[in-house]
Amino acid sequence: SIGINAEYGVSTQSTGAKSHLIGLVGDEDTCTAFLLGGIGELNDKREPNFLVVKKDTTIGDIESNLKRLLARKDIGIILINQHIANDVRHIIEAHTAPIPALLEIPSKEHPYDPSKDSILRRAKGMFNIDDMR
Protein backbone atom coordinates (compact mmCIF):
# COMPACT_ATOMS: atom_id res chain seq x y z
CA SER A 1 0.00 0.00 0.00
CA ILE A 2 1.04 3.59 -0.54
CA GLY A 3 1.63 5.98 2.33
CA ILE A 4 2.91 9.49 2.89
CA ASN A 5 6.32 9.82 4.48
CA ALA A 6 6.50 13.16 6.29
CA GLU A 7 10.19 13.61 5.45
CA TYR A 8 10.58 12.00 2.03
CA GLY A 9 7.17 12.28 0.34
CA VAL A 10 5.26 9.31 -1.06
CA SER A 11 6.71 5.91 -0.26
CA THR A 12 5.60 2.32 -0.26
CA GLN A 13 5.56 0.19 2.84
CA SER A 14 7.85 -2.32 1.14
CA THR A 15 10.78 0.13 1.39
CA GLY A 16 10.75 -0.10 5.15
CA ALA A 17 10.47 3.69 5.50
CA LYS A 18 8.06 4.99 8.11
CA SER A 19 5.02 6.06 6.17
CA HIS A 20 1.76 7.74 7.05
CA LEU A 21 -1.67 7.01 5.74
CA ILE A 22 -4.11 9.32 4.03
CA GLY A 23 -7.31 9.84 6.01
CA LEU A 24 -10.57 10.74 4.32
CA VAL A 25 -13.88 12.27 5.36
CA GLY A 26 -16.09 12.43 2.32
CA ASP A 27 -19.34 11.76 0.57
CA GLU A 28 -20.03 8.37 -0.99
CA ASP A 29 -18.67 9.23 -4.44
CA THR A 30 -15.44 10.71 -3.09
CA CYS A 31 -14.81 7.81 -0.72
CA THR A 32 -15.55 5.25 -3.42
CA ALA A 33 -13.02 6.87 -5.76
CA PHE A 34 -10.27 7.06 -3.13
CA LEU A 35 -10.96 3.57 -1.79
CA LEU A 36 -10.75 2.17 -5.31
CA GLY A 37 -7.41 3.99 -5.50
CA GLY A 38 -6.21 1.95 -2.53
CA ILE A 39 -6.20 4.30 0.47
CA GLY A 40 -8.46 2.18 2.70
CA GLU A 41 -6.72 0.79 5.79
CA LEU A 42 -7.61 -0.49 9.26
CA ASN A 43 -5.39 0.15 12.27
CA ASP A 44 -4.68 -2.35 15.07
CA LYS A 45 -8.00 -1.46 16.70
CA ARG A 46 -9.78 -2.22 13.39
CA GLU A 47 -10.63 1.49 12.92
CA PRO A 48 -10.77 2.65 9.29
CA ASN A 49 -8.86 5.69 8.04
CA PHE A 50 -11.99 7.05 6.37
CA LEU A 51 -15.57 8.10 7.04
CA VAL A 52 -18.28 7.87 4.42
CA VAL A 53 -20.69 10.73 5.12
CA LYS A 54 -24.23 9.90 4.06
CA LYS A 55 -27.42 11.94 4.32
CA ASP A 56 -28.22 10.38 7.71
CA THR A 57 -24.72 10.91 9.18
CA THR A 58 -24.98 13.32 12.09
CA ILE A 59 -22.69 16.30 12.68
CA GLY A 60 -21.70 14.62 15.96
CA ASP A 61 -20.55 11.51 14.07
CA ILE A 62 -18.53 13.64 11.67
CA GLU A 63 -16.96 15.57 14.56
CA SER A 64 -16.03 12.47 16.55
CA ASN A 65 -14.57 10.68 13.52
CA LEU A 66 -12.58 13.73 12.41
CA LYS A 67 -11.18 14.10 15.94
CA ARG A 68 -10.29 10.38 15.91
CA LEU A 69 -8.45 10.76 12.59
CA LEU A 70 -6.63 13.89 13.82
CA ALA A 71 -5.42 11.98 16.90
CA ARG A 72 -4.05 9.01 14.96
CA LYS A 73 -0.26 8.96 14.71
CA ASP A 74 -0.30 6.87 11.52
CA ILE A 75 -2.15 9.47 9.42
CA GLY A 76 -0.18 12.21 7.65
CA ILE A 77 -2.89 13.89 5.56
CA ILE A 78 -6.65 14.09 5.99
CA LEU A 79 -8.73 14.94 2.94
CA ILE A 80 -12.20 16.31 3.63
CA ASN A 81 -14.91 17.39 1.21
CA GLN A 82 -15.31 21.14 1.59
CA HIS A 83 -19.09 20.99 2.01
CA ILE A 84 -18.56 18.59 4.93
CA ALA A 85 -15.73 20.74 6.31
CA ASN A 86 -18.17 23.62 6.52
CA ASP A 87 -20.15 21.63 9.11
CA VAL A 88 -17.10 21.05 11.33
CA ARG A 89 -15.24 24.29 10.62
CA HIS A 90 -14.60 24.89 14.35
CA ILE A 91 -12.55 21.67 14.56
CA ILE A 92 -10.61 22.47 11.40
CA GLU A 93 -9.79 25.99 12.57
CA ALA A 94 -8.67 24.70 15.97
CA HIS A 95 -6.25 22.22 14.33
CA THR A 96 -2.82 23.85 14.12
CA ALA A 97 -0.44 20.88 14.00
CA PRO A 98 1.37 20.38 10.69
CA ILE A 99 0.73 16.64 10.76
CA PRO A 100 -1.80 15.47 9.94
CA ALA A 101 -2.33 18.14 7.33
CA LEU A 102 -5.98 18.89 6.60
CA LEU A 103 -6.87 19.52 2.96
CA GLU A 104 -10.30 20.53 1.75
CA ILE A 105 -11.29 19.04 -1.59
CA PRO A 106 -14.29 19.45 -3.89
CA SER A 107 -16.91 16.82 -4.47
CA LYS A 108 -18.80 15.92 -7.60
CA GLU A 109 -21.80 18.02 -6.60
CA HIS A 110 -20.07 20.80 -4.63
CA PRO A 111 -17.29 22.79 -6.36
CA TYR A 112 -14.29 24.03 -4.40
CA ASP A 113 -14.59 27.58 -3.03
CA PRO A 114 -11.20 28.98 -1.97
CA SER A 115 -12.85 31.72 0.09
CA LYS A 116 -14.26 29.08 2.48
CA ASP A 117 -11.00 27.15 2.92
CA SER A 118 -9.65 28.20 6.33
CA ILE A 119 -6.35 26.35 5.79
CA LEU A 120 -5.76 28.22 2.52
CA ARG A 121 -6.61 31.53 4.21
CA ARG A 122 -4.14 30.71 6.98
CA ALA A 123 -1.42 29.86 4.44
CA LYS A 124 -2.06 33.07 2.48
CA GLY A 125 -1.59 35.03 5.70
CA MET A 126 1.92 33.63 6.03
CA PHE A 127 3.12 35.24 2.80
CA ASN A 128 3.29 38.80 1.56
CA ILE A 129 2.74 39.38 -2.17
CA ASP A 130 5.77 41.71 -2.24
CA ASP A 131 7.96 38.80 -1.11
CA MET A 132 7.08 36.94 -4.31
CA ARG A 133 8.42 39.65 -6.67
Side-chain angles (χ1 to χ4, degrees):
S1 80
I2 295 176
I4 302 297
N5 183 295
E7 187 174 350
Y8 300 108
V10 176
S11 68
T12 61
Q13 291 181 351
S14 61
T15 64
K18 171 121 174 71
S19 62
H20 291 87
L21 301 172
I22 296 174
L24 176 64
V25 178
D27 59 26
E28 291 182 80
D29 290 335
T30 301
C31 287
T32 299
F34 278 97
L35 291 172
L36 286 172
I39 72 151
E41 298 280 342
L42 297 174
N43 66 8
D44 295 338
K45 298 176 187 174
R46 308 287 299 159
E47 297 171 324
N49 61 327
F50 60 92
L51 171 66
V52 179
V53 177
K54 300 178 183 179
K55 292 180 183 181
D56 61 343
T57 305
T58 66
I59 301 287
D61 287 342
I62 298 169
E63 289 174 342
S64 63
N65 277 280
L66 180 57
K67 287 177 183 177
R68 179 183 55 81
L69 291 173
L70 287 168
R72 284 182 52 173
K73 301 295 183 205
D74 62 337
I75 293 182
I77 297 174
I78 298 172
L79 304 175
I80 184 168
N81 284 131
Q82 190 174 52
H83 71 280
I84 297 168
N86 291 334
D87 294 333
V88 291
R89 183 69 56 204
H90 59 284
I91 295 172
I92 292 170
E93 297 206 1
H95 178 69
T96 58
I99 297 178
L102 266 167
L103 299 175
E104 295 181 25
I105 61 173
S107 68
K108 188 167 82 172
E109 296 181 12
H110 298 89
Y112 177 76
D113 181 355
S115 68
K116 294 182 180 176
D117 189 334
S118 59
I119 304 300
L120 181 61
R121 282 195 316 265
R122 196 180 314 167
K124 281 183 178 180
M126 296 172 64
F127 300 100
N128 183 341
I129 193 67
D130 294 330
D131 294 340
M132 304 298 176
R133 295 181 185 177

